[in-house]
Amino acid sequence: MGVPHTGEDWNLRTGGDSDLGYPVQAVFPGTVVAAGWYRVWGNLVVVRVDPWVQELLQKALGEPLEDLYVRYGHLHHTVVTQGQQVDAGECIGSIGKGDGGRYMAHLHIDFPRMRIPPDAYPRTEARVRAQYLDPARVWGALSFADRPNLLPSGRLYAPVRYIGKDLEAPRGAWVRRVEERLWVRPVSEEA
């Protein structure tokens, strides 16, 4: 669309809308600073990363970070609220199609390196480079082995209406319906 992209778009290998409704987990622990609907993004969650994680990444990347956020865009729904603390691996919502369903289902994820309005979108490559971390560098800097609290944990859930209709339960997981929520856990955990 003629503007630079701020992050990465993730979709299942099967493509299309095959991941619609799949749970989205927080990458890092932090505080939700925005959760709601924004034009183009649809439902969006922005998490301000805990300072100790920011320090680890700053050291690993070898550059100063004024601040660090993770933006999760195009969500179908959100299950967190502004001000809420989230852990790495905690479900924050599910994969959607963006504003008005105008895109194929996917997750947009980016890493603002400073506080910006939740729905901000820079129009030049220079601003993207100044305001956002390159996701490939973030993934390359991570080392989970010595930080078990960064590993995904806890329960996930997705809208019940998608399971059995458009999607199947993830492999290696058990699924339990509790009212209007679908709970998913790895098979290795006790039911």
Side-chain angles (χ1 to χ4, degrees), residues 65-84:
L65 298 174
E66 179 181 318
D67 220 337
L68 183 60
Y69 298 82
V70 184
R71 256 188 343 180
Y72 307 87
H74 308 319
L75 301 177
H76 179 271
H77 76 286
T78 63
V79 294
V80 294
T81 57
Q82 188 171 351
Q84 181 177 337

Side-chain angles (χ1 to χ4, degrees), residues 16-105:
D17 287 338
S18 60
D19 54 357
L20 183 64
Y22 271 42
V24 174
Q25 297 172 277
V27 176
F28 300 124
T31 304
V32 176
V33 295
W37 188 91
Y38 296 90
R39 190 180 167 288
V40 179
W41 295 112
N43 286 315
L44 175 75
V45 171
V46 182
V47 175
R48 183 178 188 204
V49 175
D50 282 347
W52 67 269
V53 177
Q54 179 184 329
E55 289 173 24
L56 283 175
L57 277 174
Q58 186 170 278
K59 192 175 192 179
L61 295 171
E63 64 179 280
L65 298 174
E66 179 181 318
D67 220 337
L68 183 60
Y69 298 82
V70 184
R71 256 188 343 180
Y72 307 87
H74 308 319
L75 301 177
H76 179 271
H77 76 286
T78 63
V79 294
V80 294
T81 57
Q82 188 171 351
Q84 181 177 337
Q85 286 292 124
V86 294
D87 290 324
E90 187 173 336
C91 185
I92 60 168
S94 67
I95 293 176
K97 298 174 65 125
D99 177 18
R102 44 192 254 192
Y103 309 112
M104 296 301 265

